[in-house]
């Protein structure tokens, strides 16, 4: 009966509190999903449960060891989850509200097709054509995180996305072909952008500087990245700091559109 009494005392503030906690957990899950961090997070939960169990069973030695670990746990969390914490703070602090508009647009049943939807077909067609001629390219798709802090490292633009435009930017004799381009709302907002590199030695040797830059920017922000290799002409897709495997260009097209939706 006490449970029912507590439920009756549930106020609007409690509902908001539960909703915000659920939202926070959802974003944390999005950050660590598919990364090594999820295994570390599970390990920390297991250690916490073992600590509570040994404390309940009065196992003083083990309880003391695990208790000491938990006391410095917050410092360990900051060190271990530094990339995820940085990405979360960046997500909170640099959310691109102008792109999302009203909060109701987050709900799919209220979303409508808009003219500023990124022309993925044109971009992918350009990448396929550049791949055949082995023209290197690095394209970054802006999502929630505002990438103005990266745009300032290159030349700011305001060009509508078309296949000829993408090809002309990365043409080998073009003054704009070095670095990356940032695409937002079907607009090339910057060219010759310098991206943060990932220097982890675990990256396959077949990946060059473009690939490392794609991993770096998708690792530190929620952006997506396409890379056309200058050596092989292969197209690579990166999300959340990881190389995404796809069977063919049709599947890649659908994946990008889904991730941008």
């Amino acid at each position: 009966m006490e449970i029912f009494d507590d439920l009756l005392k549930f106020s609007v503030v409690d509902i908001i509190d539960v909703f915000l906690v659920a939202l926070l957990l959802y974003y944390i899950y999005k950050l660590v999903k598919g990364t090594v961090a999820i295994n570390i997070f599970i390990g920390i939960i297991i250690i916490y449960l073992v600590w509570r169990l040994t404390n309940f069973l009065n196992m003083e030695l083990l309880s003391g060891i695990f208790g000491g670990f938990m006391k410095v746990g917050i410092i360990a969390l900051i060190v271990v989850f530094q990339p995820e914490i940085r990405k979360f703070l960046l997500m909170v602090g640099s959310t691109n509200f102008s792109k999302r508009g009203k909060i109701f647009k987050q709900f799919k049943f209220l979303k409508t097709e808009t003219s500023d939807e990124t022309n993925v077909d044109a971009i992918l067609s350009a990448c396929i054509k550049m791949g055949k001629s082995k023209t290197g390219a690095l394209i970054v798709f802006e999502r929630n995180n505002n990438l103005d802090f990266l745009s300032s490292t290159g030349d700011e633009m305001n060009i509508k996305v078309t296949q000829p435009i993408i090809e002309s930017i990365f043409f080998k004799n073009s003054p704009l072909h070095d670095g990356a381009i940032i695409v937002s709302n079907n607009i090339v907002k910057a060219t010759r952008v310098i991206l943060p590199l990932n220097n982890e030695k675990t990256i396959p040797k077949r990946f060059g500087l473009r690939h490392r830059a794609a991993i770096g920017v998708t690792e530190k922000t929620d952006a997506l990245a396409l890379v056309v290799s200058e050596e092989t002409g292969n197209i690579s897709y990166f999300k959340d700091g990881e190389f995404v495997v796809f069977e063919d260009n049709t599947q890649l097209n659908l994946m990008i559109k889904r991730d941008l939706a």
Side-chain angles (χ1 to χ4, degrees), residues 194-214:
I194 300 173
L195 300 180
L197 294 179
N198 181 294
N199 294 316
E200 294 293 332
K201 294 182 180 179
T202 54
I203 294 176
K205 292 182 179 179
R206 69 178 185 276
F207 286 164
L209 288 178
R210 286 190 180 90
H211 299 83
R212 288 182 179 274

Side-chain angles (χ1 to χ4, degrees), residues 140-152:
V140 178
F141 297 93
E142 183 182 78
R143 294 204 291 174
N144 290 333
N145 293 161
N146 191 303
L147 301 181
D148 287 348
F149 70 100
L150 291 175
S151 300
S152 60

Side-chain angles (χ1 to χ4, degrees), residues 231-243:
E231 287 74 28
T232 64
N234 293 333
I235 301 173
S236 302
Y237 180 47
F238 295 89
K239 176 184 176 184
D240 296 327
E242 299 288 339
F243 171 68

Side-chain angles (χ1 to χ4, degrees), residues 244-261:
V244 182
V245 179
F246 55 91
E247 293 182 358
D248 50 36
N249 294 325
T250 301
Q251 184 185 22
L252 175 60
N253 190 316
L254 294 174
M255 290 170 63
I256 298 173
K257 289 180 178 179
R258 181 195 63 201
D259 292 336
L260 288 175

Side-chain angles (χ1 to χ4, degrees), residues 1 7 23 62 138 191 202 213 247:
M1 292 300 294
L7 288 175
L23 191 64
L62 278 176
L138 175 50
T191 59
T202 54
E247 293 182 358

